[in-house]
Amino acid sequence: MSSVEDLRRRVHDLQSVLASASLMPIVDEERRDLRRRLQDVQQKLESVEDQFLLMGLVGGTGVGKSTLMNALAQKPIASVSHRRPHTDRVLVYRHADCLLPRSLKLIDELVHEIVHQADAARQVIMADLPDFDSLVQEHRQRVVAFMEHMDLVLWVTTPEKYADGRFYEMLREAPKSRQNFAFVLNKADLLFSGSSRSIDSEDFHKVVHSMGRLLEENGVDDPVLYVISAQEVLDGAPLSVWNQFPFLRRWVFQKRDAKEIRAIKEANLDVEFQAVFLRIREGMEQLERAVRFLNLLEADLLHQDRLGQTVSWGRTVLGEVSVLESLTHSLQKVSDLQGPAALFGWMVRLISRVSDASQSMTTLSRHVATALHERFQKQMTSFKDHSVALAYQEGLVDPLRTELLERLHGSWPQISLAEAVREAIEIAVVQAQRRTKGFMQWRQRLWSSWITALLLLALGGQDAWRAALAHPGAAQIVALVAAMVEKLFSGQGLAALGTWTFLQFLVGARFYREYKKSLQRHSETIIDSLQSALEQVLREALEAHAAVVRRCREDLEEEMAVMARLGGDEASAEMPVTPGAFADR
């Protein structure tokens, strides 16, 4: 049996599960009903320290419930004048010193109070429930619900009515712990003819054993059955040998300390808690199916075939958007080419009308990012369809299936790889541009200067250069320059100038070609690096989707762990009763 503190904690935990945005397979309307029932249990827990018992008397018309209550109280507290205002009202008999419990005040529309001064019944509040055989179905359900507030229940019948099917039908509907039931066969004196009070009466044994068998057939194992005549007690005559009223009264009115009363209340509340818990536990199989579904989904997302397919898409996209050409162009810098190579490059750009590098880089980044994102989203759309089919295949049913898929499909679109792709491209290009900085600039200058030096030697002539070098001075330099100018406009000088121009063009073309090949090699290196970076981006995107699945699975496993912790053992307790078996008499 659970302690009050433990049961209070379990109620609180179960309320948290129902109140949270959990994936429990319970529709909203039923969830609200279960929360309400838990609130009722919580309210009853607050009164477990009360030093009295609530005892209900259930029976049909004319079974002598009022007579039995008077006999238990040892004075008349119930009479025929205590009529019910309505057929579904419960007559509650309490001592003047005993306040009506809070749980009964909350259902005041069902209760009609009667206050008495019988000290013998000070510890017990007796509730005379309406005769079940005179109730309409709607009122009957209200009376059954009222029984939830009872700590002990006496089921009263007579030899004439003990086989009434309505009696056992109501017994099956009773919500309380059956260890707190006692069955009373009242008016047993009807089984004896004349003045005979012998226990050997054949009818007596037949009825007692027949009633015991009916109780067992209706789910009451080892029923506690008392055979009495309450009227015989009120008449004051010596009790017959078969009259078990003293044992019944001892069972009801024996002095219980607070621990015993509390144990009885806890047993009943534990049963009510278990009723709610077992309803929720019915969804545990669906939660287990959901965990298995999420495990399969996560494994499928991270399967090597899917990873390989996704990575191959990255390579395909890089080829589709002409990354090599765009990247080669984006790496070009005007400062990389010097002299004739720069002029040659300018002429190539002018003829081909290629845009500047920054615009090409922006276009490259946008195209690659957009293409990869679109391809990935197509893959995930296909995977969503796969997840729906897998959910049906694993036997998930609504509302769990719908809530789970909505949670997954709602989180996946928030995972975007466009920004990560753009960042990877920009990093790769910046690193490549650092490697190409200052590319062969000194070689270009050296070759251009050497060709120009040959032109100057040819224009100055052998004699002018010898004079300038033999006698350096301003006059000799002026004479050398004059000789160059004079020869430049001669046929020989124009031929030398043409040769210089042709050589510069060849050198520029050679360096430009070498520069382009170098850029292409750098671009290929960048593409390899970019492919690795994009593969990592795509893998991380798949892992991010798998992480959403993993979080859902962990949430489900946490709920299952909470349910396992809340289950506990079914309420059980031993009642301090005297067996009603005549063999023990």
Side-chain angles (χ1 to χ4, degrees), residues 17 20-26 31 283 286-287 290 294 399-407 551-553 555-556 559:
V17 171
S20 65
S22 64
L23 292 169
M24 293 297 297
I26 300 175
R31 188 187 294 254
Q286 277 291 303
L287 292 183
L294 293 173
L400 176 61
R401 181 182 63 234
T402 299
E403 292 180 5
L404 194 58
L405 291 175
E406 285 179 352
R407 181 169 175 179
R551 284 194 296 271
C552 285
R553 188 197 68 222
D555 289 344
L556 287 178
E559 289 187 4

Side-chain angles (χ1 to χ4, degrees), residues 211-231:
M211 183 173 178
R213 177 179 54 80
L214 288 172
L215 289 172
E216 291 180 351
E217 289 177 354
N218 284 274
V220 183
D221 298 327
D222 299 323
V224 177
L225 174 60
Y226 294 98
V227 180
I228 70 168
S229 171
Q231 187 60 51

Side-chain angles (χ1 to χ4, degrees), residues 280-290 292 396 400:
I280 298 176
R281 187 164 184 151
E282 291 175 3
M284 289 290 283
E285 180 182 355
Q286 277 291 303
L287 292 183
E288 292 172 357
R289 290 176 180 266
R292 185 167 60 249
L396 296 183
L400 176 61

Side-chain angles (χ1 to χ4, degrees), residues 243-277:
N243 196 335
Q244 291 185 305
F245 179 81
F247 295 93
L248 170 63
R249 191 174 186 283
R250 186 182 308 165
W251 178 69
V252 175
F253 287 104
Q254 65 178 315
K255 291 186 177 181
R256 294 173 172 87
D257 58 23
K259 182 177 180 180
E260 290 174 322
I261 295 177
R262 181 169 176 165
I264 295 172
K265 290 181 176 287
E266 287 179 12
N268 289 334
L269 292 178
D270 202 44
V271 168
E272 295 176 20
F273 172 84
Q274 287 291 335
V276 177
F277 171 77

